[in-house]
Amino acid sequence: MATAEKGSLSSDDRSRLSTHFDVPESSHPHRWAQLWDAGDFLPWDRGGPNPALEDMLNQKKGLIGDCFVERIDGSRRRKTALVPGCGRGYDVLLLASHGYEAYGLEISDKAVEKCLEEKKTNGHTYTSNAHSDGAGTSTFLKGDFFASEWNNVVSSGTFDLIYDYT
């Protein structure tokens, strides 16, 4: 992969993606899956969590608040977070390490497989002392964000935070 600098796409990469997605929009989910299945051109993969998300969780937590919601009866529940198009799951694992019930959604079986590999191999490196109640959970789902079949997996059916970097 040729990139001008970490995190930015080269003009060749942008051109290749543009050509790959120069099809009717209804074909885009299948085209994403093709890229994951081939595995040789994933220019959006930066190899770790988004630095802006890390900064927000570590330095600017006031922007999104605590990872818990207080109920009327005084009990608490962890906030749920969704990362649609989560790639290898880096941001999902980071959110979970900060106490969220974090869900990653991907269109491809291969992408979900890569998320689970990342969790197994490097999940222990996503640590945070940000919350005394410890880490939350990370769950990876296969589905089309614009369809609803995947959402019934989430107990509440709603999310407190949706994070997308694209």
Side-chain angles (χ1 to χ4, degrees):
M1 171 176 75
T3 56
E5 59 185 73
K6 184 173 180 167
S8 66
L9 295 179
S10 70
S11 59
D12 289 343
D13 288 346
R14 282 192 299 276
S15 176
R16 186 170 171 189
L17 282 172
S18 180
T19 300
H20 184 77
F21 286 102
D22 190 17
V23 295
E25 203 170 297
S26 62
S27 298
H28 285 190
H30 175 68
R31 302 295 276 181
W32 283 111
Q34 283 179 329
L35 289 172
W36 276 109
D37 291 346
D40 61 350
F41 180 66
L42 306 172
W44 58 85
D45 187 344
R46 302 175 76 172
N50 182 325
L53 179 60
E54 286 184 290
D55 182 51
M56 182 173 61
L57 291 169
N58 291 320
Q59 308 291 325
K60 298 178 176 81
K61 195 171 190 165
L63 293 173
I64 57 173
D66 192 40
C67 62
F68 283 93
V69 172
E70 257 199 65
R71 296 182 173 128
I72 295 172
D73 67 3
S75 65
R76 300 181 318 158
R77 69 164 177 81
R78 290 185 186 272
K79 286 183 179 177
T80 55
L82 173 68
V83 182
C86 68
R88 291 184 193 263
Y90 309 124
D91 295 332
V92 176
L93 295 169
L94 180 66
L95 285 162
S97 78
H98 280 265
Y100 289 85
E101 285 184 23
Y103 294 84
L105 182 66
E106 263 301 341
I107 195 71
S108 155
D109 287 321
K110 183 61 126 182
V112 172
E113 182 182 304
K114 294 295 184 185
C115 291
L116 295 172
E117 286 176 19
E118 176 65 16
K119 182 177 180 177
K120 182 179 179 182
T121 305
N122 297 312
H124 67 282
T125 66
Y126 294 83
T127 57
S128 166
N129 297 324
H131 212 284
S132 60
D133 290 310
T137 60
S138 58
T139 304
F140 297 100
L141 309 168
K142 178 187 181 279
D144 181 345
F145 178 75
F146 297 103
S148 60
E149 77 282 350
W150 60 269
N151 198 17
N152 55 10
V153 174
V154 181
S155 59
S156 67
T158 62
F159 295 95
D160 299 295
L161 173 69
I162 298 176
Y163 178 76
D164 181 44
Y165 177 66
T166 54

